[in-house]
Amino acid sequence: MTGSSSSPILEVCVETIQQGILAENNLADRIEFCHRLDLGGITPDHDLIRTAVNTIKIPVKVMIRPRGGDFIYSDSEIDKMKSDIKYCKSTGVEEVVLGALNKNGEVDISLTQMLAKLAIPMKVTFHKAIDTVNNFMGSLKTLSTMENIDSILTSGTKENALAGKYYIKLASEEFSGLLNIIAAGSITNQNLKEIHSELNMKEYHGKKIVGD
């Protein structure tokens, strides 16, 4: 893509091995593997995770989320998240995607930190739960001090990346070197160039970011 010093990293969220292979063939840089994207993505079946890691050559991230809906989890749901993280670690997954909030609409610090530490040596992306917090920049500040939180996936609190461009750009500037901000939200191969000229981010995420 013209206009940037180097091409941005393109991350594609997929639900099937076939979609992952197609994305790889279409020159995606990385896959985020999920089940039920209609719910915003939940953890895929363990057999699928293993097959993805063994089949897809580009880096694979895996969603750690036991169900759709809010990001406040019960003890049994937390146990499932822990076992899914351990499974991903044992299978050679490079990075997991997770997030937890409390009833006050803030990042659940103790749970998020516990899960992020459990994930080591895998990297961790905090997902779009960040877009539903009460204090976006304050929550990013909290996450920036945590061990093993590498990246944030965000639409800048809005329904898509263009609508949320103010906060995406602000987050990228404020936390440069501390957090890797990945812009998301209705980014496709059709509008990527326009969005990149507006945002000039290093990384973008979308279901159709390298085409259908």
Side-chain angles (χ1 to χ4, degrees):
M1 283 175 39
T2 55
S4 69
S5 51
S6 61
S7 294
I9 289 169
L10 303 182
E11 174 179 290
V12 184
C13 49
V14 304
E15 290 179 291
T16 67
I17 303 296
Q18 289 74 17
Q19 287 171 351
I21 292 167
L22 188 62
E24 182 175 47
N25 291 341
N26 286 340
L27 305 181
D29 297 290
R30 191 169 58 221
I31 299 295
E32 182 192 273
F33 205 53
C34 304
H35 181 51
R36 295 296 303 271
L37 285 172
D38 58 318
L39 299 176
I42 62 173
T43 306
D45 180 79
H46 284 186
D47 287 343
L48 273 176
I49 294 171
R50 191 177 64 245
T51 306
V53 170
N54 292 336
T55 310
I56 296 163
K57 295 176 186 69
I58 55 176
V60 174
K61 290 163 88 160
V62 173
M63 174 66 82
I64 304 294
R65 189 179 174 214
R67 55 160 172 79
D70 67 24
F71 305 99
I72 302 163
Y73 298 112
S74 68
D75 288 348
S76 63
E77 288 167 342
I78 292 165
D79 285 343
K80 182 176 186 324
M81 292 165 88
K82 285 159 71 175
S83 72
D84 287 339
I85 288 170
K86 287 173 185 168
Y87 182 79
C88 287
K89 206 184 331 193
S90 74
T91 324
V93 171
E94 298 209 7
E95 188 162 357
V96 288
V97 184
L98 55 85
L101 306 182
N102 62 28
K103 289 183 171 66
N104 301 324
E106 300 156 343
V107 172
D108 185 326
I109 296 173
S110 59
L111 176 53
T112 301
Q113 183 62 95
M114 183 267 285
L115 294 173
K117 279 187 175 173
L118 182 64
I120 295 170
M122 298 185 293
K123 291 183 173 180
V124 173
T125 295
F126 193 95
H127 58 46
K128 283 169 60 38
I130 195 68
D131 289 329
T132 65
V133 296
N134 292 332
N135 181 340
F136 180 73
M137 294 301 285
S139 295
L140 288 180
K141 192 168 178 27
T142 299
L143 288 166
S144 74
T145 64
M146 280 192 200
E147 187 182 347
N148 204 37
I149 300 283
D150 300 281
S151 303
I152 308 290
L153 183 69
T154 180
S155 306
T157 77
K158 304 292 189 216
E159 66 280 1
N160 62 60
L162 272 182
K165 65 183 181 182
Y166 172 78
Y167 272 126
I168 293 173
K169 287 192 325 206
L170 186 62
S172 181
E173 287 158 16
E174 290 274 320
F175 297 99
S176 173
L178 293 172
L179 291 169
N180 175 39
I181 307 296
I182 307 170
S186 306
I187 304 176
T188 69
N189 61 329
Q190 303 292 315
N191 63 16
L192 177 61
K193 207 168 182 179
E194 177 201 354
I195 288 171
H196 187 52
S197 67
E198 285 271 350
L199 290 176
N200 196 30
M201 299 294 288
K202 293 192 177 82
E203 303 201 17
Y204 297 97
H205 168 104
K207 204 164 30 176
K208 299 182 176 179
I209 205 160
V210 293
D212 290 324

